[in-house]
Amino acid sequence: MKRISCGLVLSALLSAALPAHAQDADLVAAKEAIKKRDFAGAAKLLQPLVDKDDPKAMVMMGQLRLAGQGVIKDEGIAVGLFKKGADAGDPEAIFLYARQLHLGNGLPQDETRAIALYKKAGDLGNAEAQLWYGISLYRGLGGMPPDKAGALPWLRRAAEQGDAAAQNWMGDFYKDGGLVEKDPYQSLSWYRKAALQMQPVAQRNVGLAYARGSGVARDDGEALKWLLSAAYFRDSVAQDWVGYFYESGRAGLVPDLVAAHMWYTLARARDPQNNSAKTNIERVTPKLSPAQLTESQTKAKQWPTVAELTKAIAATDAAKALAEANATAANAAKNPTTGGKSGSGFVVGMGTSYVVSNHHVVKDCKSIKIMPFDLPAVLREKDERNDLALLSVANLRAPSLKLRAGRGVRPGDELVTLGYPLAGLLAAGASVSTGTLTALGGLNNDTSQFQMSVPTQPGNSGGPVLDSHGQLVGVVVAQINAIRVGQATGNIPQNINFAINTATLSSFLDASNVDYGTSQLQQDPKAKHLNAADIGSMARRSTVKVECAMN
């Protein structure tokens, strides 16, 4: 464990703190839980250490509080934890406290004080603090005169420690010259280091280097690979360039004005000040027929297409990150400290009632319990390919949900989900979330699923997805915003989540000889659209928590 102050050591001794090795083990376990997005499990591990004034634990818990991950979001509590860790001399805590001061999160904004703290944490070796002190010097923040030459060593130190944003700054310095001797080869080297960490601006810069032959032989195929990845991270300049590639037919693409117009539209929507995209839209639009223009606008509304997003990430050596995301989705609710995991489910069936959940929620369970009824369950049928499980539960008395029949859901339709995310920290009852259906297809255009914007968390898996009439239209199954790429950049499209559609579910129930109810309220002009609160109140009685004991 890293150094803490004498005062904290004395406090720990007087309060009979855990042995240092035990604290270290819990910190390591908490970090692993966070990597697996088991934020609730991490919070449980951290809280005893926070109570013992462990500065590292305070930093980690403060970050969870700031993001509302595994605990109730509270900027004031987060700032208090950062301040306490900073007072103990922890470099990361000093930086995080400075960042909140700079942004005015949870306390009054004080740029001058924040910059002084950046320098303090940077002197102690914190790379992010070095980055921000360097930026402050370069831009002349906090009332200081700009000092670009003074900024360079700070940004270099951060870059050499592996900070992706600082590496991109170094790439800019070597590209433009002035502070350092102009060197396109050095520039590309720094850009590439940042790009491999999924830094979108750096990916765009690598793409532009290949497109222009700067520091490397011109290679349109390599350029498009990097530009596409940056574009899917919503970098407006990269989106504009991808549009140009489609318009001009570069990199072996067949010229496609519809695709070009879509990318130009996305670039302009992302950054209204992107005048290049504006000019390109004005040039291409008159060349499109009304049908083509409608097609472009529709594609822009449905963007991002998950299969293309996955392909773009994989093309830049991020296949491992995607594989990690898939594994995380399958084990999101696992609790490594208890040998158990939990998910959600819902009641179906006429006459005999059953619970439907995801197969990964109940896979390898020694025993299954349905809460809040505290009833044992038995796995009756499973479909591993489509991630469905059917549970038999004796003496279960709860209303069944009805599957939507007739006209299916469409992109743009409002959706409501229920489930038991972050078990043990949030409210005991089922949580309600809302969003829209965004695409009729799952990962890699899987036709058994659809894509939705409804936020999901570990523990939501297996919960019901309902339409505005309260009819069952899907089963929550996975999320893509768990990819560490998104955590690293903050720019990956958020809330790209998936649900198993009712066509797949009904086939599974039919094969399992389950008699289930259906309804077609969406085709009844007199049927009332319900608000999310009413749907949640109605469906909460049919939504259950599925607890799995692994040993």
Side-chain angles (χ1 to χ4, degrees), residues 44-123:
K44 287 181 179 179
L45 289 165
L46 290 170
Q47 190 57 57
L49 303 182
V50 170
D51 293 340
K52 303 296 183 183
D53 291 336
D54 185 298
K56 294 300 181 188
M58 288 188 281
V59 164
M60 294 169 67
M61 183 65 87
Q63 291 172 310
L64 293 178
R65 282 286 185 186
L66 198 63
Q69 294 174 319
V71 289
I72 302 300
K73 182 174 181 176
D74 192 317
E75 292 177 350
I77 293 177
V79 167
L81 289 168
F82 296 150
K83 176 71 163 58
K84 201 169 183 180
D87 290 343
D90 182 85
E92 187 174 9
I94 296 170
F95 166 72
L96 289 169
Y97 180 60
R99 197 77 189 110
Q100 309 322 305
L101 272 173
H102 202 165
L103 297 171
N105 281 342
L107 75 174
Q109 188 175 30
D110 188 338
E111 188 175 70
T112 302
R113 174 64 176 153
I115 291 170
L117 289 172
Y118 287 153
K119 184 178 187 304
K120 181 178 180 181
D123 284 333

Side-chain angles (χ1 to χ4, degrees), residues 236-260:
S236 177
V237 175
Q239 290 171 335
D240 188 41
W241 268 86
V242 171
Y244 166 68
F245 268 59
Y246 273 102
E247 182 183 358
S248 59
R250 284 182 63 168
L253 294 174
V254 176
D256 186 338
L257 292 182
V258 172

Side-chain angles (χ1 to χ4, degrees), residues 406-428:
R407 188 181 69 242
V409 287
R410 301 171 297 173
D413 282 353
E414 295 179 355
L415 301 176
V416 175
T417 67
L418 287 88
Y420 288 82
L422 306 174
L425 268 91
L426 300 187

